[in-house]
Amino acid sequence: MATLPQIAVLGAGIFVKTQYIPRLAEISHLFCLKYIWSRSEESSRGAVEIAKQHFPGVECKWGDQGLNDIVQDSSLIGTAVVLAGQVQVDISLKLLKAGKHVIQEKPAATSIPEIETALASYKSVCTNPGLPIWAVAENYRFEPAFVESKKLVAGVGDMMNVQVIIEGSMNSSNPYFSSSWRRNFEGGFILDMGVHFIAGLRMMVGCEVTSVSAITSHIDRTLPPPDIISSNFKLENGCSGVFVMVVSSSSPKIIWRVVGSKGTVQVERGKVDGKHGYLVSLYSADGQCKSTFHPFCGVHEELKFFIHDIVQANLKGNGYEAEPRSSFVEGARDVAVLEAMLESGSKGGTLVNVKKF
């Protein structure tokens, strides 16, 4: 029987406790969780206590010494970095330089300069192209709803228009409302939440956003600026679209819609039979509508693909190509679109070209 790969989770916050540990538990037959690290001992022990229900052998690591222990542990082949956005890239690169595969939470980075520096550093540490693996955990690209909608869009003729309307709920009852790191970088919740919606957009249309013109504003003073962004955008296929995102205290309403010459595809977040997910609808030219509901499972899928990739990369070495949907470059492209919108908004709606990666 083959030895299971050993991994560590760096981070012990809300998302680790509510998503990573439960989703990793669903695929616990594929790997061994060796460590959970946090900056503080208290935080690490809190997460480990939860994880021990599924991974009885998991150990605590904390602080600089604990991080060094993980970096130097040759038995670890994979790591999940789930930390504040401002520190993720530096820690990911430290792990990559030690030869460990990394799946890092979104956003890929918090600015264009950070992306450029990160890509240059990654290239310098790669023993072979794409190895070790640096994945960004953008779960929307792994949601079956977007996999299906991409296929459906290919069948609705010429793309005529794209609409993305996001009313993202964020108020004091949300566990992320008080998150200091999300409040302490430019773009705030718009960037942190928005990369998901840009990922869904790019997945559906199957091509890149080339330029944007946006207006931003700040209404809710309990949130960092901006909390509203309204943008026109142009795709590389020539099609135009609109992206509107409002961070509000109301119930969320989230829709992606691609209008084609022979039909329309819509993805809407919703709830069916007590399960949260996405309703994918195809409106045909004859007025018929066919809909399918897909419960959320993107985090499960992206982690499963990552474990598969690191096992295969270790077996095959040179030439192995990891799942492209989770590449660092894909995550960087999501950030680049939002950064262009934020730049345009700061300049009163000036047309801004999206940085290419």
Side-chain angles (χ1 to χ4, degrees):
M1 184 177 177
T3 303
L4 292 177
Q6 298 194 83
I7 72 166
V9 173
L10 286 82
I14 298 167
F15 202 64
V16 168
K17 293 174 181 175
T18 63
Q19 288 295 321
Y20 265 70
I21 291 172
R23 301 293 80 79
L24 287 170
E26 293 169 355
I27 55 172
S28 59
H29 60 289
L30 299 176
F31 68 97
C32 172
L33 178 59
K34 190 171 184 180
Y35 304 123
I36 294 180
W37 175 90
S38 182
R39 293 205 174 277
S40 73
E41 179 181 0
E42 180 183 7
S43 180
S44 175
R45 290 195 181 282
V48 164
E49 186 176 342
I50 295 170
K52 275 187 178 292
Q53 301 171 39
H54 311 286
F55 305 97
V58 64
E59 300 175 35
C60 296
K61 290 288 181 181
W62 62 87
D64 291 340
Q65 183 57 54
L67 181 57
N68 287 336
D69 290 345
I70 288 172
V71 168
Q72 294 168 15
D73 188 337
S74 60
S75 71
L76 289 173
I77 68 166
T79 54
V81 176
V82 195
L83 298 166
Q86 294 92 329
V87 302
Q88 289 196 126
V89 167
D90 285 345
I91 288 182
S92 292
L93 285 167
K94 183 177 289 190
L95 294 161
L96 290 161
K97 288 174 183 176
K100 303 185 191 312
H101 304 295
V102 172
I103 184 167
Q104 172 199 306
E105 257 306 312
K106 59 82 197 165
T110 57
S111 68
I112 296 299
E114 186 180 29
I115 290 171
E116 293 172 334
T117 302
L119 285 170
S121 297
Y122 179 47
K123 186 176 181 180
S124 72
V125 303
C126 283
T127 53
N128 295 290
L131 293 176
I133 295 165
W134 191 0
V136 169
E138 178 41 74
N139 52 290
Y140 278 42
R141 272 188 275 276
F142 289 84
E143 292 289 354
F146 289 103
V147 175
E148 181 193 1
S149 64
K150 181 177 182 178
K151 295 175 183 176
L152 293 175
V153 165
V156 294
D158 295 329
M159 198 177 294
M160 300 172 68
N161 190 252
V162 183
Q163 302 139 30
V164 184
I165 310 297
I166 310 296
E167 296 171 22
S169 178
M170 183 55 64
N171 53 45
S172 58
S173 65
N174 189 302
Y176 297 103
F177 180 79
S178 300
S179 169
S180 59
W181 74 260
R182 291 173 174 85
R183 292 175 171 273
N184 292 337
F185 68 87
E186 187 179 354
F189 289 108
I190 287 283
L191 180 58
D192 179 55
M193 297 164 64
V195 287
H196 282 315
F197 311 127
I198 296 296
L201 162 66
R202 293 179 54 240
M203 181 82 174
M204 275 187 78
V205 299
C207 63
E208 298 301 331
V209 179
T210 57
S211 60
V212 303
S213 174
I215 300 295
T216 55
S217 51
H218 188 206
I219 303 299
D220 187 344
R221 298 297 167 171
T222 68
L223 297 172
D227 57 355
I228 302 169
I229 189 163
S230 181
S231 177
N232 291 318
F233 63 81
K234 184 179 180 181
L235 300 175
E236 62 185 351
N237 64 7
C239 183
S240 65
V242 293
F243 178 92
V244 178
M245 182 175 174
V246 180
V247 183
S248 69
S249 59
S250 62
S251 299
K253 184 76 170 178
I254 301 174
I255 297 173
W256 295 258
R257 189 175 174 91
V258 177
V259 180
S261 58
K262 297 179 182 179
T264 296
V265 179
Q266 177 175 293
V267 177
E268 181 174 6
R269 184 181 290 188
K271 189 176 180 181
V272 173
D273 297 331
K275 294 182 178 181
H276 291 275
Y278 300 98
L279 185 68
V280 179
S281 300
L282 173 63
Y283 299 88
S284 57
D286 61 4
Q288 300 296 310
C289 176
K290 295 180 180 179
S291 297
T292 308
F293 182 77
H294 299 273
F296 290 150
C297 67
V299 176
H300 171 100
E301 289 297 311
E302 71 186 358
L303 291 173
K304 186 172 69 174
F305 270 96
F306 177 68
I307 297 298
H308 173 267
D309 276 341
I310 66 175
V311 170
Q312 292 302 308
N314 272 35
L315 286 173
K316 298 179 180 178
N318 293 1
Y320 181 74
E321 294 184 13
E323 170 57 54
R325 285 177 291 174
S326 56
S327 70
F328 183 87
V329 168
E330 283 297 316
R333 289 168 180 160
D334 296 333
V335 173
V337 174
L338 274 171
E339 283 286 304
M341 290 179 179
L342 290 167
E343 180 185 343
S344 175
S346 71
K347 297 177 178 177
T350 300
L351 186 70
V352 172
N353 291 326
V354 177
K355 180 75 175 180
K356 294 182 179 180
F357 291 106

